[in-house]
Amino acid sequence: RVPEDGRLVARLQEMITEASSYLFKATKGRVYFRSVKILIPPTWKEKSYEKPKHETYEKADVIVAAPYWKHGDDPYTLQHEACGKMGKYIHFTPNFLANDYVTDIYGSRGRTFVHEWAHLRWGVFDEYDNDRPFYVTGQNQVKVTRCSSDLTGIYVCEKNSCIDGSCVINKLTGLYKEGCAFIPERNQTAVSSIMYMQSLSSVAEFCNESTWEVIKNSTDFENDLPLTSSSLLTPPSFSLLQKRDRVICLVLDVSKTIAGVNSSSGNWINRLHQAAELYLLQIVEENTYVGIVTFSDKGEIKTHVHQIVSDEARKQLASYLPTAPGGKRANVCAGLRLACEVIRKKEGHLYGSEIILVTGGQDNSTGRCFSEVINGGSVIHTITVGSSAAKEIEHFSKETGGFKFFVPERLDFSDLLDVFTGIMSRSGDTFHQSVQIESAGESVAGFRQLRRTVTIDSTVGRETFFVATWQSAEPPEIILIDPIGRSYTIKDFELDSVFHVARLQIPGTAETGDWTYTLINVHLAPQVLTMTVTSRAANSTLPTVSVITYMSTDTVYYPSAMVVYVQISQGFSPVLGANVTAIFSSENGDTVSLELLDNGAGSDIIKNDGIYSNLKVHVQANRTTVPQTAMPWSHAMYIPGYVENGKLKMNPSRPPAIKNNIQVRRGGFSRTAVGDSFTVSAVPIGPYIDVFPPCKIIDLDARMEDDKVILSWTAPGDDFDKGQATSYEIRTSETPLELRDSFYNTTFVNTSTLSPQRAGCTEIFLFKPEAFTTGNITVIYVAIRAVDEVFLRSELSNIAQAVMFIPPMAYPPSNLKFGVSTILLLFFVLLTAVCLTVSTSLCLVKKKKKNLSENAAKLLQHKV
């Protein structure tokens, strides 16, 4: 989607070259960029670019794309996990790269890249907060949140909330009103911090007592001694890659060992044919080249590649799909080698091609071809069927960056159909991609029905298909009613009585709204009925609502936790208000369903970012919103201006953002998505002992009312974020260090009247702190732990700060031209510092609510 512009590639190279030497100094001679691969859009003119192997847009560390918001060129990093965990990607806009005026706002591109790289690679967070840019010290002074506190500047009021140009105190919050900004001196002596304001020429380091400690704990620095001289630093090498045509070969296991027993091979061939046909007719993108290979004891080329240029081409490809089982044994290498032959005949090489390998055979000889296949340059997507499939199969996808799916042996439901719908192009071009609206499967008793409603929203509707499958000889009765009352029956569907498929393509663009389908089992015996609904984008200029799943890891050992995230967005904009259900299937097909929440609790570190934390995923919404203000993702600071040689030099005002409470309301939608398979090892057979504590509370907040502290937080569960905790332990201290290091030696708060609610509920608790009764204590810190029924305790929560301000007799006069830097406050305010992690200092995980105490500046003046 990015128009061709040669400046972009040149600027990327300049930016990363500068960033390499800056990063080398910032990490004290430990790391720099050695090699960089830049993937050129296939829509750009073909030049002497190299061919990519496993590189794709959706796997990139850095993407260049249109702005997240129309008014924003802020470079940002999508971070969905906790402190110290890698982010998803860095996003730069073409405008940021092409126009030089942005360097006055963000600093040089190389320095900005290092700021974002620290977010992405090492999981550290910004050391400022645009929502609450100021905090109050224990001496009742307003300070700007920053690292280090040695950075100097003035306060300037940019908006109409000011009087005579001076910043004004908000009497409700005790902080400066909106419009007051901290303007740094251009010339500084402070050397930190890169995560605050890397644009300042003196800044060359990370904050030592927090950010740098987290970075040093990364595996990047294991056994990594610093280089003794910068003369050993070499500039990065750049490779320019471009992929034009998508080339795929299906490699399908037709052996009689698949799914475990010979007698079920006929059922397997039916299911395989149904799923592969759906992929060819509805899922794979236009202009893709596709070939088909089958294998059992030996391989067979069913067809060399054909380009999909029409519906007829799709049907011709589907006619080559297997219709009968093959030999008894599965020879995976035979199939893979023939696939390579098919692709080479078209391309002359394997670079950038894709192989979709479907197997359940017990072939333990894949090592014979493993190296040659993974080094060939193809991306290999694997679909393993049943627990008897060779465990080595998934290594093909791991080594080549392909999708990795698992389908239970029980092929009664729509699992195989679902995983085929998940294998789409990863070029970033969503207009041509298929969107799975619905996937439902159920064992239906005789003369009973499967009835559901799905919502076709305005972002989709082109090439919409309803596909039903069944098991008995005769098809079920099908009734489909569209939003305007039009009815479709079995007579309107295209029937395949051999493979038990009924398919209906809705002419033109499908009506927006609720579609209701009914499948009626007309037989006495029960049978499994399924319905799959797919569509494509209705408009090339309007992004579809997309659902993406990803995991914190693909392998854990019990009782370690695994988090599965579901991101719902329209383009780069998060979609809020959806109901998300994750369905986890075990090897034998048994399922567990969990509701996923976007509430900023448990593993979901950011509320309302469109990421639902906790693998088939169902998403349903009757009404949703797309927020029109920037989400709290990690981004480079927009510098309002500088003080240089005693003169104030302001940058152009940031384009105005729409107010926080205004959102674009949109209708409902339905989506289904599948995630990669994962493994939890060493799970005991039973009986199970409770080893899972409540999850950490990360949104503890507080405010003062009269002489009481009012706390609020999201309730954790009994086991992580599920169930209900038994009790809470709340303690206070005059220093955050004491809470962190000696929680049980701090002041106890009586919580006997506090009964935990179910996970996800908002808890509110009031208490009168003893510290304030002495009359000379104005600041206390509060932390909390949740306890379950077997006395397992959560990690210590974020530490909240409660401040009682002593009203002055009068305001002191301001003698500053641009504003007041120190002022006594009249009211109460809570300032929260989020996510504590023990190292030699404090690691603050959360990116919100950071306003910090001056007397704990080294500990709490920024978050990472």
Side-chain angles (χ1 to χ4, degrees):
R1 297 284 175 164
V2 175
E4 185 164 0
D5 186 345
R7 293 178 299 170
L8 299 182
V9 174
R11 291 294 171 82
L12 284 168
Q13 293 174 325
E14 293 168 5
M15 175 177 68
I16 297 174
T17 300
E18 178 195 359
S20 184
S21 58
Y22 187 56
L23 181 66
F24 181 78
K25 295 174 183 176
T27 58
K28 302 175 174 36
R30 286 172 171 80
V31 296
Y32 60 95
F33 297 111
R34 176 173 290 166
S35 62
V36 180
K37 297 176 181 177
I38 301 176
L39 189 61
I40 305 297
T43 52
W44 289 22
K45 293 178 183 177
E46 189 171 2
K47 296 181 180 178
S48 55
Y49 298 127
E50 299 176 40
K51 300 293 183 183
K53 292 178 66 175
H54 307 145
E55 297 81 14
T56 65
Y57 173 85
E58 292 187 4
K59 290 283 188 179
D61 298 303
V62 180
I63 62 173
V64 178
Y68 181 169
W69 305 107
K70 291 182 180 179
H71 62 265
D73 286 301
D74 283 354
Y76 75 89
T77 303
L78 175 56
Q79 290 179 272
H80 59 278
E81 291 197 65
C83 180
K85 303 292 185 180
M86 281 190 64
K88 290 297 292 182
Y89 57 75
I90 299 170
H91 180 181
F92 293 114
T93 68
N95 192 49
F96 173 83
L97 293 172
N99 295 295
D100 288 335
Y101 76 86
V102 299
T103 59
D104 287 332
I105 297 169
Y106 305 102
S108 72
R109 293 185 185 87
R111 285 170 169 257
T112 304
F113 188 86
V114 171
H115 176 99
E116 297 303 328
W117 185 260
H119 287 314
L120 176 78
R121 184 70 182 183
W122 299 308
V124 297
F125 287 92
D126 290 321
E127 293 160 1
Y128 55 86
D129 188 336
N130 285 334
D131 290 336
R132 294 179 114 182
F134 306 107
Y135 69 99
V136 181
T137 70
Q139 292 75 39
N140 290 344
Q141 294 180 331
V142 180
K143 296 288 186 180
V144 66
T145 304
R146 67 199 189 280
C147 178
S148 72
S149 57
D150 296 335
L151 289 167
T152 59
I154 62 174
Y155 296 103
V156 172
C157 191
E158 301 179 285
K159 298 185 180 179
N160 296 329
S161 61
C162 310
I163 300 173
D164 299 328
S166 298
C167 290
V168 176
I169 293 296
N170 184 326
K171 295 183 179 180
L172 294 178
T173 66
L175 299 173
Y176 288 134
K177 287 186 177 180
E178 182 183 1
C180 187
F182 175 73
I183 310 298
E185 296 277 355
R186 171 79 78 173
N187 299 314
Q188 302 271 354
T189 57
V191 296
S192 63
S193 167
I194 291 171
M195 301 314 294
Y196 173 65
M197 199 176 288
Q198 75 287 337
S199 58
L200 297 173
S201 60
S202 67
V203 171
E205 297 178 358
F206 296 102
C207 269
N208 282 331
E209 295 191 3
S210 50
T211 308
W212 179 235
E213 293 299 323
V214 175
I215 292 174
K216 284 199 302 184
N217 287 333
S218 164
T219 55
D220 290 346
F221 295 86
E222 289 180 356
N223 304 316
D224 185 20
L225 298 177
L227 296 177
T228 56
S229 172
S230 60
S231 63
L232 300 175
L233 183 68
T234 57
S237 63
F238 293 92
S239 303
L240 304 185
L241 316 174
Q242 187 183 45
K243 179 179 179 179
R244 302 196 68 83
D245 298 322
R246 189 181 185 202
V247 181
I248 300 172
C249 188
L250 303 183
V251 182
L252 309 176
D253 185 346
V254 295
S255 69
K256 294 178 180 178
T257 59
I258 194 165
V261 290
N262 291 348
S263 61
S264 68
S265 58
N267 182 50
W268 162 246
I269 292 297
N270 270 11
R271 286 301 193 196
L272 178 63
H273 193 283
Q274 290 170 358
E277 182 184 58
L278 180 139
Y279 181 73
L280 295 174
L281 296 184
Q282 300 171 218
I283 307 302
V284 67
E285 295 82 1
E286 199 84 359
N287 297 317
T288 302
Y289 291 85
V290 182
I292 302 173
V293 167
T294 62
F295 68 93
S296 54
D297 302 277
K298 59 183 180 179
E300 178 185 359
I301 298 175
K302 304 295 288 187
T303 179
H304 286 277
V305 296
H306 292 259
Q307 187 176 22
I308 296 177
V309 293
S310 65
D311 289 343
E312 288 304 314
R314 291 180 182 274
K315 291 177 181 178
Q316 182 184 4
L317 272 167
S319 68
Y320 293 110
L321 291 172
T323 58
K328 293 182 178 181
R329 191 174 62 85
N331 186 342
V332 173
C333 284
L336 289 174
R337 283 169 172 153
L338 283 181
C340 295
E341 179 183 324
V342 167
I343 295 169
R344 284 196 180 97
K345 185 174 181 180
K346 160 66 176 67
E347 294 285 279
H349 57 79
L350 299 179
Y351 281 13
S353 63
E354 297 171 65
I355 293 173
I356 300 175
L357 172 62
V358 187
T359 181
Q362 302 175 17
D363 183 2
N364 297 317
S365 61
T366 56
R368 293 177 298 142
C369 62
F370 183 76
S371 294
E372 87 182 73
V373 172
I374 66 168
N375 292 324
S378 284
V379 174
I380 302 176
H381 312 296
T382 59
I383 303 173
T384 54
V385 182
S387 57
S388 62
K391 303 301 181 185
E392 294 79 12
I393 296 298
E394 66 180 25
H395 295 314
F396 285 104
S397 54
K398 282 186 177 181
E399 292 296 326
T400 62
F403 295 110
K404 176 170 64 75
F405 297 116
F406 169 80
V407 177
E409 290 179 359
R410 191 174 69 194
L411 294 168
D412 296 342
F413 298 104
S414 58
D415 298 343
L416 192 59
L417 294 165
D418 294 336
V419 296
F420 265 101
T421 63
I423 303 175
M424 293 179 291
S425 165
R426 293 188 283 189
S427 67
D429 181 9
T430 59
F431 176 67
H432 294 98
Q433 290 179 350
S434 175
V435 177
Q436 188 171 12
I437 306 295
E438 168 77 331
S439 171
E442 191 173 296
S443 179
V444 179
F447 304 107
R448 298 288 184 179
Q449 65 183 25
L450 171 64
R451 180 185 175 91
R452 300 280 174 84
T453 297
V454 298
T455 305
I456 304 292
D457 61 279
S458 60
T459 69
V460 295
R462 184 173 57 94
E463 297 182 26
T464 301
F465 288 87
F466 287 78
V467 180
T469 70
W470 62 93
Q471 291 179 311
S472 301
E474 297 297 323
E477 183 179 345
I478 304 176
I479 303 171
L480 174 65
I481 301 175
D482 74 7
I484 61 174
R486 185 187 296 117
S487 180
Y488 301 87
T489 67
I490 188 72
K491 296 178 181 179
D492 299 301
F493 283 71
E494 181 181 338
L495 295 181
D496 183 340
S497 58
V498 176
F499 292 103
H500 303 173
V501 179
R503 177 176 283 101
L504 171 67
Q505 180 175 2
I506 304 301
T509 302
E511 291 285 346
T512 299
D514 291 342
W515 293 65
T516 300
Y517 64 85
T518 305
L519 304 180
I520 304 173
N521 181 9
V522 297
H523 294 273
L524 180 63
Q527 65 169 322
V528 172
L529 304 179
T530 75
M531 176 65 81
T532 301
V533 184
T534 65
S535 188
R536 295 186 194 274
N539 190 316
S540 62
T541 62
L542 182 66
T544 61
V545 173
S546 63
V547 177
I548 302 172
T549 66
Y550 38 85
M551 293 167 292
S552 56
T553 179
D554 63 355
T555 303
V556 297
Y557 291 89
Y558 181 89
S560 297
M562 175 180 292
V563 184
V564 178
Y565 297 91
V566 179
Q567 179 179 353
I568 305 176
S569 60
Q570 184 178 359
F572 290 109
S573 305
V575 174
L576 312 182
N579 298 316
V580 183
T581 302
I583 302 173
F584 302 87
S585 297
S586 63
E587 288 184 335
N588 61 11
D590 293 337
T591 60
V592 175
S593 298
L594 293 175
E595 181 184 4
L596 309 187
L597 301 174
D598 182 19
N599 60 357
S603 298
D604 182 55
I605 67 167
I606 302 172
K607 184 177 181 179
N608 290 341
D609 60 353
I611 299 179
Y612 300 70
S613 139
N614 218 356
L615 191 250
K616 179 175 176 179
V617 175
H618 286 294
V619 180
Q620 181 68 43
N622 296 321
R623 176 183 292 180
T624 56
T625 55
V626 179
Q628 295 297 290
T629 53
M631 286 294 99
W633 292 343
S634 304
H635 59 87
M637 182 189 293
Y638 191 103
I639 309 298
Y642 297 96
V643 177
E644 190 168 5
N645 298 324
K647 295 182 179 180
L648 181 64
K649 294 183 178 181
M650 299 298 290
N651 285 321
S653 297
R654 188 186 188 120
I658 302 174
K659 294 297 182 182
N660 289 339
N661 60 348
I662 297 179
Q663 300 180 337
V664 174
R665 296 192 177 274
R666 57 184 326 282
F669 65 93
S670 302
R671 294 291 187 272
T672 298
V674 293
D676 284 3
S677 61
F678 62 91
T679 302
V680 181
S681 301
V683 180
I685 298 175
Y688 295 106
I689 299 173
D690 187 353
V691 294
F692 301 112
C695 66
K696 176 180 178 177
I697 295 167
I698 60 176
D699 62 347
L700 179 62
D701 195 13
R703 59 187 174 87
M704 293 295 302
E705 187 170 297
D706 296 328
D707 58 349
K708 293 183 176 62
V709 175
I710 302 176
L711 299 179
S712 64
W713 66 93
T714 302
D718 171 79
D719 299 326
F720 297 126
D721 56 356
K722 303 301 173 188
Q724 187 172 355
T726 302
S727 63
Y728 292 113
E729 297 175 342
I730 300 177
R731 290 179 175 266
T732 68
S733 175
E734 296 177 30
T735 70
L737 281 172
E738 188 178 25
L739 279 173
R740 188 195 72 178
D741 298 335
S742 304
F743 181 71
Y744 291 106
N745 292 329
T746 55
T747 303
F748 171 77
V749 175
N750 187 347
T751 58
S752 59
T753 61
L754 177 58
S755 297
Q757 301 183 71
R758 292 196 63 81
C761 295
T762 299
E763 303 274 27
I764 298 177
F765 180 67
L766 290 73
F767 71 96
K768 185 175 181 179
E770 295 179 6
F772 285 169
T773 62
T774 63
N776 59 356
I777 300 297
T778 60
V779 179
I780 64 166
Y781 297 89
V782 188
I784 184 171
R785 271 183 165 150
V787 185
D788 69 10
E789 75 276 9
V790 295
F791 301 103
L792 294 175
R793 290 170 168 80
S794 68
E795 293 181 51
L796 190 69
S797 71
N798 61 288
I799 294 179
Q801 181 196 65
V803 181
M804 174 178 284
F805 298 103
I806 303 173
M809 295 301 295
Y811 286 108
S814 171
N815 57 3
L816 291 179
K817 178 179 179 181
F818 299 111
V820 182
S821 61
T822 304
I823 190 164
L824 296 181
L825 302 180
L826 299 174
F827 290 87
F828 307 99
V829 70
L830 162 77
L831 309 165
T832 304
V834 188
C835 180
L836 293 169
T837 298
V838 177
S839 68
T840 60
S841 64
L842 187 63
C843 169
L844 298 170
V845 174
K846 194 91 160 42
K847 297 185 289 184
K848 298 285 290 179
K849 302 181 181 70
K850 175 176 74 75
N851 297 273
L852 312 167
S853 170
E854 182 78 1
N855 62 7
K858 291 185 178 180
L859 176 65
L860 290 174
Q861 66 193 353
H862 63 281
K863 53 190 173 180
V864 294

